[in-house]
Amino acid sequence: MDKLTDNQIAWRAAQDIADGAYVNLGIGLPEKVAQYQPPGREAVFHTENGILNFGESPASGAEDWDLINAGKKAVTLKPGASFFHHADSFAMVRGGHLDVAILGAYEVAQNGDLANWSTGPKGVPAVGGAMDLVHGAKRVAVITGHVTRDGRPKLLERCTLPLTGVGCVTRVYTSLAVIDVADGRFVLREKLPALSIDALQAVTGARLLTPGPVADLICPEL
Amino acid sequence: MDKLTDNQIAWRAAQDIADGAYVNLGIGLPEKVAQYQPPGREAVFHTENGILNFGESPASGAEDWDLINAGKKAVTLKPGASFFHHADSFAMVRGGHLDVAILGAYEVAQNGDLANWSTGPKGVPAVGGAMDLVHGAKRVAVITGHVTRDGRPKLLERCTLPLTGVGCVTRVYTSLAVIDVADGRFVLREKLPALSIDALQAVTGARLLTPGPVADLICPEL
Amino acid sequence: MERGNALDKTVTDVAAAVADIPDGASVMIGGFGGAGSPIELIHALIDRFRATGHPAGLTVINNNAGNGHVGLAALIEAGMVRKLICSFPRSADPVVFTQAYQEGRIELELVPQGTLAERIRAGGAGIPAFYTPSSFGTDLAAGKPVELFEGRSYVRERWLKADFALVKAETADTHGNLTYRAASRNFGPLMCMAAAIAVVQARRVLPAGGIDPEQVITPGIFVQRVVEVARPVQEEDLNRARATYPLEAE
Amino acid sequence: MERGNALDKTVTDVAAAVADIPDGASVMIGGFGGAGSPIELIHALIDRFRATGHPAGLTVINNNAGNGHVGLAALIEAGMVRKLICSFPRSADPVVFTQAYQEGRIELELVPQGTLAERIRAGGAGIPAFYTPSSFGTDLAAGKPVELFEGRSYVRERWLKADFALVKAETADTHGNLTYRAASRNFGPLMCMAAAIAVVQARRVLPAGGIDPEQVITPGIFVQRVVEVARPVQEEDLNRARATYPLEAE
């Protein structure tokens, strides 16, 4: 099945970030969103470990290891940056000051539940800031492949893995579609043009509603 | 009856402040304590509105009205001073970081209850930081005339005025004596040499215990 | 690449900065006494009220209740304040608040100072309630839940948020990053966090990046509007000169 | 007048700074990953353990669980840590913690990162408990009281305090006023507040007054000991060089 590349999913998510927005991007795929800010818009990126308005990675060898993001990658600063301690950083998160948080997911349920921190009792559990982000940002979006690596749906009626947050996700950007969570159901907003709704439904673990028009999900080559 | 001057009471209270102590002094009489730090000792004074290590008043005309204490008097800074916002300031108070707070009182009860913010339902109530200070500092002391202006005892079995804090005071410096609060009773530690215990008891509204020696309360002329 | 300008939070003047505060709004006003009091923003609000009759019925959160006949005292004197939440409604010259209070024209919610600060921080930090030892066993804890932790009693207090905050800063950049001056910092950083719209008057407004990231006290995420007031008056100076606002009422 | 010297909080070296941390102590360790990690203080603690067998049985509070075989990872590898309270026990090379955890040699209390930060701040600020939306409805809220405020559910969390904090600062003065460097600030200011004894290594130690009062991030009231470590190593650099501690174990 044709699908969007990671860069293309990130590009699509970036189109919904308003000029002047304060944004937190999760570690991994969500980080790519920063690269695709539309021309004419400027967002401020927040990292949980205490920086607002950080920029791209420095050149290799030019890293300052006191200047890292939540993924512990070296970053740079943009004009208007600031540093703050962890309690202030999560005051920004929990206090509703971020316009949007974009996170990865193991599973998203049609009621907006998100599971993205634990794959079960095996291994070492690690949560980081995810549980704070899902209850803080004004808008919590997920960016993810539509199915798992072995082809199982990630969008489900109910999450099967340990939850990160209850009823927190409002939009999901996948490799196949853009889907909103509304009133406890998935609402299909955009899909790849070549993909039928039936084909999309077949790889989705919960019913997709189409109360309104379904737009073509068209991204540049990336 | 012979009694200590305000300056002398303040001097006596100052003798109990250890070298390096962090101290909050209430508005009015308690402020005088700062003038009598014993030689060889240096305390750091905290003011609720956001300064550590402020010093004396500036000369008249040299005031900076952004540099004031909780009593809204102009102050100066000593080396090692810092500014901080109100939440941090009361984190210092409530979090037990002050070694001693010295406050004024309308009434102190033998169980350590303090009334110092309201003289009853008449007038405009105002509390400021007193209710925070009494539950924060490691040691809460009161400095006060032994009796009211019209001669009524301020040390009582129970407070009659609205409370500032419950069971918070551990030592009272008065114009006649130094009295500890221990196990819900007043314990007399020092009194003016010329004053008999009976005479002191006569102007005190609760029983004074003397389980140990009672020292002479001797202050320099001030 | 063309740049966005939504991050430029500067507005042209104090009148524009407070033009949309509606009747009945909750307004946090920074300052401890005169230090940090955003006099020019307050007076702009009074000007608007005199010209339009709005905003009225405000709930104001401030540590104090004004002094003399300028700033917050003038706001109360103009009859714009329905309710005041504060810790210490006394001052050198408290006549305006005292009269309004005694005549029943203004409601007072008295809050211990540290609890006031923490409630505002909680509002900004998304903490709906917390426990404090302050006020336990006193009249100010009446009706509030009490809980025992490790053998000690604590009072549960709720967060405090507001529709607007009026705050005085020393330096701002266009993104709303702020520094303060000396003890005028007091409630400013907290109120910027706790208000939906934080309006800041700053003595200097610099381009983004004009403040060292290490020295930012209030990060711009907490600030929605910035207006330059290059020569702010000091409440204390006005009161020593026995000023009133509006000035023609002298 | 003769001056006191109790306000001079400097100690001679890192060994003296950690000499009295007892078996079973709770120890907050600053840093987010390597940024702000007080490597020299941690290694001094390991040196003491190797020489004396103490301290053992520590409860460590840190955002992470160490990386490679230096710093916190080396502390765990030495067998000194009984329990870890953290939010994210993964790293580029988490083998030390992972093995200890899987073999049941270390207990883990996993806390959401923002809750961890707020619990530490609460410990420092005298707030025994607070409500947060974070973790509501998840396994990490199991057994915690839940309350509804304004129609939304919140979990009650308790303060977190410690016997000691080990913190890395950029500049200190002798009174313990601190500045930090960039994102190495992270947990330092909070842990200094929440520990009975905050031990700080700083790249430079200045006389009192050497830091502008406007630029103090941690006021000295929160700091009990200061030791100068003029050329601190960076955990990231050690790990890129595949270092282990003690170095002779390489």
Side-chain angles (χ1 to χ4, degrees):
Chain A
M1 189 187 303
D2 251 16
K3 58 176 190 175
L4 299 183
T5 63
D6 283 356
N7 286 344
Q8 287 176 310
I9 314 176
W11 177 90
R12 176 61 191 84
Q15 307 311 302
D16 289 346
I17 298 177
D19 188 26
Y22 288 88
V23 181
N24 185 292
L25 301 176
I27 297 170
L29 172 52
E31 288 181 77
K32 288 179 175 283
V33 174
Q35 301 168 32
Y36 299 111
Q37 286 182 75
R41 296 190 214 165
E42 187 178 7
V44 173
F45 294 101
H46 167 267
T47 180
E48 298 95 294
N49 56 313
I51 315 176
L52 266 176
N53 216 11
F54 66 95
E56 300 184 359
S57 302
S60 177
E63 297 94 346
D64 174 347
W65 295 111
D66 285 342
L67 195 57
I68 59 176
N69 66 12
K72 301 183 181 98
K73 294 202 194 92
V75 295
T76 54
L77 297 181
K78 295 201 280 188
S82 56
F83 300 119
F84 34 85
H85 62 53
H86 250 76
D88 281 350
S89 182
F90 281 89
M92 294 174 191
V93 171
R94 206 191 300 104
H97 304 282
L98 295 172
D99 294 296
V100 55
I102 302 183
L103 303 170
Y106 297 144
E107 297 175 345
V108 184
Q110 61 185 357
N111 61 0
D113 288 1
L114 172 66
N116 81 344
W117 73 281
S118 169
T119 51
K122 272 183 288 187
V124 177
V127 63
M131 286 190 184
D132 305 283
L133 283 163
V134 296
H135 288 300
K138 294 190 183 88
R139 186 165 81 82
V140 175
V142 156
I143 177 168
T144 179
H146 198 87
V147 297
T148 63
R149 249 174 261 174
D150 47 358
R152 287 178 293 111
K154 298 182 93 171
L155 279 67
L156 305 172
E157 290 188 353
R158 285 181 187 286
C159 290
T160 65
L161 293 171
L163 292 185
T164 305
V166 170
C168 51
V169 176
T170 56
R171 174 161 275 203
V172 185
Y173 304 97
T174 80
S175 45
L176 304 179
V178 176
I179 293 165
D180 282 346
V181 173
D183 299 325
R185 304 297 296 272
F186 286 129
V187 175
L188 180 62
R189 298 299 185 193
E190 302 174 20
K191 64 170 183 58
L192 293 184
L195 187 71
S196 72
I197 290 181
D198 285 351
L200 183 67
Q201 182 66 71
V203 291
T204 305
R207 181 74 191 283
L208 295 171
L209 304 190
T210 54
V214 177
D216 284 344
L217 173 54
I218 299 175
C219 301
E221 292 298 317
L222 291 168
Chain B
M1 190 187 303
D2 251 16
K3 60 176 189 175
L4 299 183
T5 63
D6 283 355
N7 286 343
Q8 287 176 309
I9 314 175
W11 177 90
R12 176 60 192 87
Q15 307 312 302
D16 288 346
I17 298 177
D19 188 26
Y22 289 88
V23 181
N24 185 292
L25 301 176
I27 298 170
L29 172 52
E31 288 181 78
K32 289 178 175 283
V33 173
Q35 301 169 31
Y36 299 110
Q37 287 182 74
R41 296 190 215 165
E42 187 177 7
V44 173
F45 294 101
H46 167 267
T47 181
E48 297 95 296
N49 56 312
I51 315 176
L52 267 176
N53 217 10
F54 67 95
E56 299 184 1
S57 302
S60 178
E63 298 94 346
D64 176 346
W65 296 112
D66 285 342
L67 196 58
I68 59 176
N69 66 12
K72 299 179 183 104
K73 295 203 194 92
V75 296
T76 53
L77 297 181
K78 295 201 280 189
S82 55
F83 300 119
F84 35 85
H85 62 54
H86 251 76
D88 281 350
S89 182
F90 281 89
M92 295 174 190
V93 171
R94 206 191 299 104
H97 303 283
L98 295 172
D99 295 296
V100 56
I102 302 183
L103 304 169
Y106 298 145
E107 296 175 345
V108 184
Q110 62 185 356
N111 62 359
D113 288 1
L114 172 66
N116 80 345
W117 74 281
S118 169
T119 51
K122 272 184 288 185
V124 177
V127 62
M131 287 191 184
D132 305 283
L133 283 162
V134 296
H135 287 300
K138 294 190 184 87
R139 187 166 79 83
V140 175
V142 156
I143 177 168
T144 179
H146 198 87
V147 297
T148 64
R149 250 173 260 174
D150 48 358
R152 286 178 293 112
K154 297 182 94 170
L155 279 67
L156 304 172
E157 290 188 355
R158 287 182 186 285
C159 291
T160 65
L161 292 171
L163 292 185
T164 306
V166 170
C168 52
V169 176
T170 56
R171 174 161 276 203
V172 185
Y173 304 97
T174 81
S175 46
L176 303 178
V178 176
I179 294 165
D180 282 345
V181 172
D183 299 324
R185 304 295 298 273
F186 286 129
V187 175
L188 180 62
R189 298 298 185 193
E190 301 174 20
K191 65 170 183 57
L192 292 184
L195 186 71
S196 72
I197 290 179
D198 285 350
L200 183 66
Q201 182 66 71
V203 292
T204 305
R207 180 74 191 283
L208 295 170
L209 304 189
T210 53
V214 177
D216 284 345
L217 173 53
I218 299 174
C219 301
E221 292 299 316
L222 292 168
Chain C
M1 188 169 98
E2 190 194 347
R3 281 246 147 159
N5 54 19
L7 282 171
D8 182 351
K9 298 173 183 173
T10 56
V11 294
T12 51
D13 55 38
V14 289
V18 301
D20 61 347
I21 299 181
D23 288 356
S26 53
V27 184
M28 292 177 170
I29 301 183
F32 177 89
S37 178
I39 296 274
E40 284 75 9
L41 289 173
I42 298 170
H43 288 178
L45 209 54
I46 295 172
D47 291 348
R48 202 184 123 217
F49 178 76
R50 286 166 54 87
T52 68
H54 307 283
L58 300 175
T59 294
V60 168
I61 298 109
N62 180 269
N63 189 64
N64 303 103
N67 190 14
H69 300 268
V70 298
L72 174 54
L75 196 77
I76 295 168
E77 195 158 33
M80 299 167 67
V81 183
R82 185 186 69 75
K83 179 179 178 182
L84 183 70
I85 302 176
C86 82
S87 89
F88 201 80
R90 282 190 210 138
S91 63
D93 176 6
V95 64
V96 167
F97 174 80
T98 302
Q99 281 191 2
Y101 179 73
Q102 288 175 338
E103 292 167 10
R105 286 184 281 111
I106 193 166
E107 186 185 338
L108 173 66
E109 179 180 341
L110 193 71
V111 182
Q113 195 172 337
T115 299
L116 181 65
E118 191 66 14
R119 287 179 64 194
I120 298 169
R121 180 194 176 270
I127 303 289
F130 60 89
Y131 291 87
T132 173
S134 305
S135 91
F136 171 73
T138 77
D139 295 351
L140 296 191
K144 294 176 182 167
V146 167
E147 187 103 10
L148 209 65
F149 294 102
E150 297 164 33
R152 202 170 160 196
S153 296
Y154 296 85
V155 178
R156 193 168 85 193
E157 295 280 358
R158 295 297 313 279
W159 62 15
L160 199 51
K161 304 201 214 190
D163 301 317
F164 289 84
L166 307 182
V167 166
K168 181 181 183 178
E170 176 67 4
T171 307
D173 71 10
T174 53
H175 285 198
N177 292 302
L178 306 179
T179 71
Y180 300 85
R181 183 166 182 277
S184 71
R185 187 182 303 187
N186 54 66
F187 283 90
L190 310 174
M191 290 179 170
C192 286
M193 293 170 69
I197 299 180
V199 182
V200 175
Q201 65 168 76
R203 205 172 58 74
R204 294 188 305 159
V205 178
L206 304 174
I211 304 175
D212 180 344
E214 300 281 8
Q215 294 173 22
V216 170
I217 301 299
T218 292
I221 191 171
F222 295 130
V223 173
Q224 283 67 43
R225 293 177 198 164
V226 171
V227 58
E228 186 169 280
V229 175
R231 287 187 188 75
V233 295
Q234 192 34 281
E235 184 182 286
E236 186 73 25
D237 291 330
L238 291 180
N239 279 323
R240 285 174 179 242
R242 302 190 159 278
T244 64
Y245 195 82
L247 299 171
E248 59 268 31
E250 274 177 345
Chain D
M1 187 171 100
E2 190 193 347
R3 283 243 147 162
N5 55 20
L7 282 172
D8 182 351
K9 298 172 183 173
T10 55
V11 294
T12 50
D13 55 39
V14 290
V18 301
D20 61 348
I21 299 181
D23 288 356
S26 53
V27 184
M28 291 176 171
I29 300 183
F32 176 90
S37 177
I39 296 274
E40 285 75 10
L41 289 172
I42 298 170
H43 288 177
L45 209 53
I46 295 172
D47 291 348
R48 203 186 122 214
F49 179 75
R50 285 167 53 87
T52 69
H54 307 284
L58 300 175
T59 293
V60 168
I61 297 109
N62 180 270
N63 188 64
N64 303 103
N67 190 13
H69 300 267
V70 298
L72 175 54
L75 196 76
I76 295 169
E77 195 158 34
M80 298 166 69
V81 183
R82 184 186 69 75
K83 178 179 178 182
L84 183 69
I85 302 176
C86 82
S87 89
F88 202 80
R90 282 190 209 137
S91 63
D93 176 6
V95 64
V96 167
F97 175 79
T98 302
Q99 281 190 2
Y101 179 74
Q102 289 176 337
E103 293 167 9
R105 285 183 281 111
I106 193 166
E107 186 185 338
L108 172 66
E109 178 180 341
L110 193 71
V111 181
Q113 195 171 337
T115 299
L116 182 65
E118 190 67 13
R119 288 179 63 192
I120 297 169
R121 179 195 177 269
I127 303 290
F130 60 89
Y131 290 88
T132 173
S134 306
S135 92
F136 171 72
T138 77
D139 295 351
L140 296 191
K144 294 176 182 167
V146 167
E147 188 104 10
L148 210 64
F149 294 102
E150 298 164 34
R152 202 170 160 196
S153 296
Y154 295 86
V155 178
R156 192 169 86 194
E157 295 280 358
R158 295 297 314 279
W159 62 14
L160 198 52
K161 305 201 213 190
D163 301 316
F164 289 83
L166 307 182
V167 166
K168 181 182 184 178
E170 176 67 4
T171 308
D173 72 9
T174 54
H175 285 198
N177 293 302
L178 307 179
T179 71
Y180 299 85
R181 182 167 182 278
S184 71
R185 188 183 301 188
N186 54 67
F187 283 90
L190 311 174
M191 291 179 170
C192 285
M193 293 169 70
I197 299 180
V199 182
V200 175
Q201 64 169 76
R203 205 172 58 75
R204 293 188 306 159
V205 178
L206 304 174
I211 304 175
D212 180 343
E214 300 280 8
Q215 294 174 21
V216 169
I217 301 298
T218 292
I221 191 172
F222 296 129
V223 172
Q224 283 67 43
R225 292 177 198 164
V226 171
V227 58
E228 186 169 280
V229 175
R231 288 187 187 75
V233 295
Q234 189 41 279
E235 185 181 285
E236 186 74 25
D237 291 330
L238 291 180
N239 279 323
R240 284 174 179 242
R242 302 190 158 277
T244 64
Y245 195 83
L247 299 171
E248 59 268 32
E250 275 177 345

